[in-house]
PDB file of all heavy atoms in Angstrom:
ATOM      1  N   LEU A  39       0.253 -63.477 -21.088  1.00 96.00           N
ATOM      2  CA  LEU A  39       1.662 -63.867 -21.059  1.00 96.00           C
ATOM      3  C   LEU A  39       2.513 -62.768 -20.418  1.00 96.00           C
ATOM      4  O   LEU A  39       3.414 -63.062 -19.621  1.00 96.00           O
ATOM      5  CB  LEU A  39       2.166 -64.172 -22.472  1.00 96.00           C
ATOM      6  CG  LEU A  39       1.509 -65.373 -23.151  1.00 96.00           C
ATOM      7  CD1 LEU A  39       1.960 -65.483 -24.608  1.00 96.00           C
ATOM      8  CD2 LEU A  39       1.856 -66.664 -22.406  1.00 96.00           C
ATOM      9  N   ARG A  40       2.202 -61.507 -20.737  1.00 93.00           N
ATOM     10  CA  ARG A  40       2.997 -60.414 -20.139  1.00 93.00           C
ATOM     11  C   ARG A  40       2.821 -60.382 -18.621  1.00 93.00           C
ATOM     12  O   ARG A  40       3.754 -60.059 -17.889  1.00 93.00           O
ATOM     13  CB  ARG A  40       2.628 -59.063 -20.772  1.00 93.00           C
ATOM     14  CG  ARG A  40       3.338 -58.853 -22.120  1.00 93.00           C
ATOM     15  CD  ARG A  40       3.095 -57.474 -22.697  1.00 93.00           C
ATOM     16  NE  ARG A  40       1.758 -57.324 -23.207  1.00 93.00           N
ATOM     17  CZ  ARG A  40       1.350 -57.767 -24.409  1.00 93.00           C
ATOM     18  NH1 ARG A  40       2.199 -58.356 -25.213  1.00 93.00           N
ATOM     19  NH2 ARG A  40       0.107 -57.590 -24.791  1.00 93.00           N
ATOM     20  N   MET A  41       1.628 -60.725 -18.135  1.00 93.00           N
ATOM     21  CA  MET A  41       1.410 -60.798 -16.681  1.00 93.00           C
ATOM     22  C   MET A  41       2.284 -61.902 -16.074  1.00 93.00           C
ATOM     23  O   MET A  41       2.879 -61.722 -15.018  1.00 93.00           O
ATOM     24  CB  MET A  41      -0.068 -61.105 -16.370  1.00 93.00           C
ATOM     25  CG  MET A  41      -0.958 -59.899 -16.528  1.00 93.00           C
ATOM     26  SD  MET A  41      -0.456 -58.602 -15.361  1.00 93.00           S
ATOM     27  CE  MET A  41      -1.254 -57.195 -16.086  1.00 93.00           C
ATOM     28  N   ALA A  42       2.345 -63.052 -16.763  1.00 95.00           N
ATOM     29  CA  ALA A  42       3.170 -64.169 -16.258  1.00 95.00           C
ATOM     30  C   ALA A  42       4.642 -63.758 -16.237  1.00 95.00           C
ATOM     31  O   ALA A  42       5.377 -64.072 -15.296  1.00 95.00           O
ATOM     32  CB  ALA A  42       2.958 -65.409 -17.122  1.00 95.00           C
ATOM     33  N   VAL A  43       5.070 -62.987 -17.253  1.00 94.00           N
ATOM     34  CA  VAL A  43       6.460 -62.515 -17.308  1.00 94.00           C
ATOM     35  C   VAL A  43       6.711 -61.599 -16.113  1.00 94.00           C
ATOM     36  O   VAL A  43       7.717 -61.715 -15.410  1.00 94.00           O
ATOM     37  CB  VAL A  43       6.735 -61.759 -18.626  1.00 94.00           C
ATOM     38  CG1 VAL A  43       8.099 -61.080 -18.592  1.00 94.00           C
ATOM     39  CG2 VAL A  43       6.632 -62.704 -19.830  1.00 94.00           C
ATOM     40  N   LYS A  44       5.763 -60.704 -15.853  1.00 92.00           N
ATOM     41  CA  LYS A  44       5.925 -59.728 -14.786  1.00 92.00           C
ATOM     42  C   LYS A  44       5.963 -60.407 -13.415  1.00 92.00           C
ATOM     43  O   LYS A  44       6.706 -60.001 -12.528  1.00 92.00           O
ATOM     44  CB  LYS A  44       4.747 -58.756 -14.847  1.00 92.00           C
ATOM     45  CG  LYS A  44       5.049 -57.469 -14.190  1.00 92.00           C
ATOM     46  CD  LYS A  44       4.026 -56.415 -14.507  1.00 92.00           C
ATOM     47  CE  LYS A  44       4.167 -55.330 -13.486  1.00 92.00           C
ATOM     48  NZ  LYS A  44       2.976 -55.199 -12.658  1.00 92.00           N
ATOM     49  N   GLU A  45       5.179 -61.470 -13.272  1.00 95.00           N
ATOM     50  CA  GLU A  45       5.161 -62.196 -11.996  1.00 95.00           C
ATOM     51  C   GLU A  45       6.437 -63.012 -11.802  1.00 95.00           C
ATOM     52  O   GLU A  45       6.712 -63.477 -10.704  1.00 95.00           O
ATOM     53  CB  GLU A  45       3.935 -63.121 -11.921  1.00 95.00           C
ATOM     54  CG  GLU A  45       2.671 -62.342 -11.588  1.00 95.00           C
ATOM     55  CD  GLU A  45       1.396 -63.123 -11.926  1.00 95.00           C
ATOM     56  OE1 GLU A  45       1.488 -64.341 -12.192  1.00 95.00           O
ATOM     57  OE2 GLU A  45       0.335 -62.482 -11.937  1.00 95.00           O
ATOM     58  N   GLY A  46       7.191 -63.218 -12.898  1.00 95.00           N
ATOM     59  CA  GLY A  46       8.486 -63.898 -12.783  1.00 95.00           C
ATOM     60  C   GLY A  46       8.383 -65.387 -12.526  1.00 95.00           C
ATOM     61  O   GLY A  46       9.312 -65.996 -11.998  1.00 95.00           O
ATOM     62  N   GLY A  50       6.616 -67.843 -16.962  1.00 96.00           N
ATOM     63  CA  GLY A  50       6.811 -66.482 -17.469  1.00 96.00           C
ATOM     64  C   GLY A  50       8.199 -66.286 -18.057  1.00 96.00           C
ATOM     65  O   GLY A  50       8.371 -65.638 -19.088  1.00 96.00           O
ATOM     66  N   ALA A  53       8.271 -68.011 -21.374  1.00 96.00           N
ATOM     67  CA  ALA A  53       7.444 -67.274 -22.340  1.00 96.00           C
ATOM     68  C   ALA A  53       8.193 -66.040 -22.837  1.00 96.00           C
ATOM     69  O   ALA A  53       8.154 -65.703 -24.021  1.00 96.00           O
ATOM     70  CB  ALA A  53       6.122 -66.864 -21.685  1.00 96.00           C
ATOM     71  N   LYS A  54       8.917 -65.380 -21.934  1.00 95.00           N
ATOM     72  CA  LYS A  54       9.627 -64.136 -22.302  1.00 95.00           C
ATOM     73  C   LYS A  54      10.650 -64.390 -23.407  1.00 95.00           C
ATOM     74  O   LYS A  54      10.829 -63.557 -24.290  1.00 95.00           O
ATOM     75  CB  LYS A  54      10.297 -63.515 -21.076  1.00 95.00           C
ATOM     76  CG  LYS A  54      10.978 -62.180 -21.371  1.00 95.00           C
ATOM     77  CD  LYS A  54      11.320 -61.428 -20.100  1.00 95.00           C
ATOM     78  CE  LYS A  54      12.219 -60.217 -20.347  1.00 95.00           C
ATOM     79  NZ  LYS A  54      11.787 -59.297 -21.395  1.00 95.00           N
ATOM     80  N   MET A  57       8.790 -64.494 -26.621  1.00 93.00           N
ATOM     81  CA  MET A  57       8.185 -63.203 -26.967  1.00 93.00           C
ATOM     82  C   MET A  57       9.239 -62.193 -27.421  1.00 93.00           C
ATOM     83  O   MET A  57       9.052 -61.501 -28.418  1.00 93.00           O
ATOM     84  CB  MET A  57       7.394 -62.660 -25.774  1.00 93.00           C
ATOM     85  CG  MET A  57       6.175 -63.501 -25.470  1.00 93.00           C
ATOM     86  SD  MET A  57       5.519 -63.194 -23.840  1.00 93.00           S
ATOM     87  CE  MET A  57       4.602 -61.705 -24.136  1.00 93.00           C
TER      88      MET A  57
END
Side-chain angles (χ1 to χ4, degrees):
L39 295 173
R40 279 186 287 279
M41 283 298 163
V43 171
K44 202 167 162 244
E45 282 162 13
K54 183 166 170 50
M57 293 163 80

